[in-house]
Every structure is written in structure tokens, then in C-alpha cells.
Amino acid sequence: MPDIRETWEPVAISREMELSIKQQIFCEIIDAVRIVNIRYKIPETPSQKAIPDNYGVQLQYSLTIDESSAVNPSVNLTRTVPSARIFDVSIGQNLGLTTGLNLSSTATRTDTFYSYYNIGRIAAPGANSWCHDSSQRSLDGSSPLLKVDLGIERYLLGAVWSAAGVPSSEPPKGKKDLKLDVYSYEIKFVVLSNGSLNPSIKLASVSTNGGSPPFLTGGRTRTHDMILTFGPSEIIPGSGIAGPAYVATQTHFTSQLNQTLQSLRGPSLY
């Protein structure tokens, strides 16, 4: 199976990079929720947080590596034979034989991680202070999820503003603090790297390759995908443990299904 790491990274980076990605997303979620709850107040109920404490967030990220390689040797054998004469015209003649072989291989590795967090716990004042301690976090690794601002704060600001503009129906009696809106956010990075080697040899009676397909080809496609679903939580029957409410679960499942269908179609180059 291909490594999640790139060839220039140390062998041991794979698990470390996966942990670093999870830490990066987790800490950005916390910062985004805190900022949104400070900056945005719901006009009808200013005491209620835009992202309530009884909300949960489903975090899933997938790292997929597709590697392919192919060898396509071909040899052209040519032998010149005496010229022929037709109607006193000399015509050159030769015999040719072309042989070819195709050897190819593909390998795919997908690492998928899912976690569920209660917003009130992870974003409480003073909670998870390690997120701002550089000595306890690492951003080493080539994943785009580590190198860019994931835009979670900007997305949530727009999402809660839209939800307040056209709010959901009022919750059942006795559950005034229940907020029914669900927000799902996905970001995907697709990095393609391909190369080929196509030597050409031409002798008196033998020639090789020099055309199409190339003698040697290789490629790697890295897809790093993140799905976040924010929504109300509920007590799982018989367990006493809070988990995502049904509507949040279904929304997250829809995003997962879309992700799977997109992977089957392959990355778009347009």
C-alpha cells in the first residue's frame, strides 16, 4: 500500500501527520465557535448563543492516495532486403516487426477518521488551552489541511446569519433552548503529480519507443477531504450518552454519500 506521506518526508511521519491534521481541525473549530458566539447575537434571543452549548460537531476527514505506474516497452526490428524493379523502376524494400509489452499497477489507500464533540465542552472558557501552545502541536507534513486556513469561522458566520434570517420552526413546548438548524461544511484538496520517461534509440535495424505511450509512466493523486456537521445533540436511548440528533446524523450521512460518489467519478481537471 502507498504511504500517506510524500517521498521527501521521513518514514514515520504518516501517523504523526494524521494526528497533526486532527489537532489542526479540532483547534480551528474551537476558535471559530468562540469567535462566532462573540460576534453574532440572535436578535430574538440575544442570550442564546449562535452555536449553543448543546450542539455537537461531527468531524470526519479522509486521506486518499492513488498511485499508478506503467511500463510500455516496444521494439521495432527492421531488415532491409534487395530493391525490387517494377517497370524499370527501383523500389526499396524492408521487413519490419514491432513487439510491445504493457505492465501496469495501481494501488489505493484511504484513511478515514470520525469523531464527535460536544460544543459546550470543547469551547468552554479555558478549555483546550493547549491549542495555542506551539510546543504541544506540530504542523509538520505536506497535507494541505495543515497548510491553509480551512475557513471554518467564515463559513459559520455566514451559516448562522442565514439561519437567523429565515429561522426554523419553533421547537416543542418546554424546549425553548432547543435549536434545530444543522450546518454542514466540506472542503477538499486534490493534488496530482505525474511523470513519464520516454528514451528513444534508433540503430540500423533496431529502434525502441520514442512514441506513444511513453516507456515509463507514474502518477500519484492525493485527496484530502474534511466534513464538519454542526447540529443539535440528543440522548442516545438506553445509553445516557449524548450524540448527534437524527437530523444532524442524516445531514452528515448525505455529505459522506456525496463524497463517496465523487471519489468514484474521480477528480475533475476542469
Side-chain angles (χ1 to χ4, degrees):
M1 285 288 98
D3 288 327
I4 293 294
R5 67 184 177 88
E6 288 291 7
T7 55
W8 59 81
E9 295 175 319
V11 174
I13 197 66
S14 295
R15 287 179 293 180
E16 294 177 2
M17 183 172 69
E18 291 166 354
L19 174 59
S20 297
I21 291 172
K22 190 170 186 178
Q23 290 177 332
Q24 174 73 1
I25 299 173
F26 178 79
C27 292
E28 190 165 330
I29 289 172
I30 293 173
D31 289 343
V33 169
R34 288 171 175 168
I35 292 173
V36 169
N37 281 336
I38 291 174
R39 292 185 180 179
Y40 193 88
K41 299 298 182 181
I42 301 175
E44 295 79 3
T45 54
S47 61
Q48 184 186 60
K49 295 180 179 179
I51 309 293
D53 289 345
N54 60 4
Y55 257 38
V57 56
Q58 298 176 75
L59 160 62
Q60 176 177 309
Y61 67 97
S62 301
L63 312 178
T64 302
I65 302 294
D66 294 293
E67 285 188 341
S68 62
S69 60
V71 179
N72 305 281
S74 64
V75 178
N76 302 315
L77 302 176
T78 304
R79 184 180 180 89
T80 302
V81 297
S83 300
R85 296 189 66 84
I86 301 178
F87 300 112
D88 292 330
V89 177
S90 178
I91 300 176
Q93 299 185 109
N94 59 64
L95 299 175
L97 176 64
T98 299
T99 61
L101 179 66
N102 175 267
L103 299 173
S104 63
S105 67
T106 59
T108 300
R109 170 179 171 178
T110 300
D111 290 10
T112 301
F113 305 85
Y114 174 92
S115 296
Y116 177 77
Y117 303 102
N118 173 264
I119 292 295
R121 291 183 178 179
I122 65 172
N128 296 302
S129 58
W130 59 267
C131 281
H132 298 283
D133 184 351
S134 59
S135 66
Q136 297 189 46
R137 295 178 56 192
S138 172
L139 296 179
D140 293 336
S142 60
S143 172
L145 294 174
L146 289 170
K147 301 301 183 183
V148 300
D149 176 7
L150 300 177
I152 301 173
E153 176 192 329
R154 293 190 297 274
Y155 167 74
L156 283 179
L157 281 170
V160 298
W161 182 85
S162 176
V166 185
S168 299
S169 299
E170 293 184 1
K173 292 182 179 181
K175 296 186 177 181
K176 293 183 179 180
D177 294 333
L178 179 63
K179 184 177 169 64
L180 301 176
D181 300 288
V182 177
Y183 317 119
S184 186
Y185 179 57
E186 179 179 2
I187 187 169
K188 176 187 289 187
F189 298 95
V190 180
V191 182
L192 294 87
S193 54
N194 299 291
S196 63
L197 178 66
N198 198 22
S200 178
I201 301 174
K202 188 173 183 179
L203 303 175
S205 58
V206 178
S207 61
T208 63
N209 283 83
S212 180
F215 172 74
L216 177 64
T217 60
R220 165 179 276 209
T221 301
R222 294 192 302 151
T223 304
H224 291 192
D225 199 322
M226 177 197 74
I227 300 175
L228 298 178
T229 303
F230 297 82
S233 59
E234 63 183 8
I235 300 299
I236 301 175
S239 69
I241 300 174
Y246 177 79
V247 62
T249 300
Q250 291 303 304
T251 301
H252 192 78
F253 173 75
T254 300
S255 298
Q256 291 175 316
L257 182 60
N258 288 334
Q259 180 191 76
T260 301
L261 293 176
Q262 290 175 10
S263 67
L264 292 176
R265 289 196 299 265
S268 174
L269 300 180
Y270 302 97

